Amino acid sequence: MKQDRTMDAVDRRIVRLLQEDATLSHAQLAEEVGASPASCWRRVKALEAAGILGRTVRLVDPEAVGRGVNVMCNIRMRSHAAEARQSFEEFVRGRPEVVECFSMSGEWDYLLRVVVADVVDYNQFLMQTMLGHPSVAGGSSHFVLATTKYTTALPV
């Protein structure tokens, strides 16, 4: 496992805490890590500048906003030419129901996580939108029945 040598133990603790609760104030964070608020603020700013800490967001309950159906969709491309991949990736970035997209090795070219209101919405998205894209040769869908583990926190 590759270790990032630019982060010391306090930095790692800050990152772990912020991954759990990004609303912690610098004073709360400082108390948790045993540093002064000013030192903690400087460390957070340095972690941001280094690209270790990115933007701050709030997680939303998909069911609470009418997006309770979660589907993993494998996509196979017609062509692996750079312009076909670029066109598809740009298309996917513009689709709000696609919340994650991974370029994959193996049998399928992409894996998408799609969130929609119901099966009817997904069917329309898949059949009319996704499979209608000129770069897409086919797809395979896997409906999530239950989420066993979900986290955005990385081990640091």
Side-chain angles (χ1 to χ4, degrees):
M1 179 188 338
K2 182 181 175 192
Q3 293 288 330
D4 184 355
R5 300 189 195 292
T6 62
M7 292 194 337
D8 64 15
V10 174
D11 289 335
R12 289 183 190 287
R13 180 89 172 117
I14 288 170
V15 170
R16 280 194 296 272
L17 289 165
L18 289 175
Q19 286 187 106
E20 291 298 318
D21 183 359
T23 66
L24 289 173
S25 69
H26 292 296
Q28 292 169 311
L29 206 51
E31 186 176 321
E32 289 286 331
V33 301
S36 72
S39 169
C40 201
W41 180 84
R42 282 190 300 274
R43 285 176 177 268
V44 168
K45 290 300 175 192
L47 291 164
E48 290 171 347
I52 294 167
L53 291 177
R55 62 192 174 115
T56 302
V57 300
R58 295 295 301 260
L59 300 177
V60 175
D61 179 347
E63 289 190 26
V65 295
R67 297 289 179 153
V69 175
N70 199 356
V71 185
M72 301 308 218
C73 177
N74 290 304
I75 295 294
R76 184 173 290 120
M77 302 293 286
R78 290 186 194 283
S79 166
H80 293 100
E83 45 292 338
R85 290 190 324 269
Q86 182 180 9
S87 171
F88 177 75
E89 290 174 6
E90 188 175 309
F91 166 74
V92 166
R93 280 191 286 274
R95 298 304 312 183
E97 56 273 269
V98 177
V99 295
E100 293 182 85
C101 176
F102 304 95
S103 177
M104 304 296 289
S105 64
E107 183 178 346
W108 296 95
D109 298 310
Y110 290 92
L111 174 64
L112 282 60
R113 186 165 74 93
V114 180
V115 294
V116 291
D118 54 32
V119 175
V120 172
D121 279 352
Y122 182 72
N123 183 55
Q124 182 175 348
F125 168 75
L126 178 66
M127 297 303 194
Q128 295 177 4
T129 304
M130 188 57 58
L131 296 179
H133 190 278
S135 298
V136 175
S140 174
S141 303
H142 307 276
F143 285 80
V144 174
L145 301 177
T147 301
T148 304
K149 179 179 179 179
Y150 174 76
T151 183
T152 60
L154 300 174
V156 290

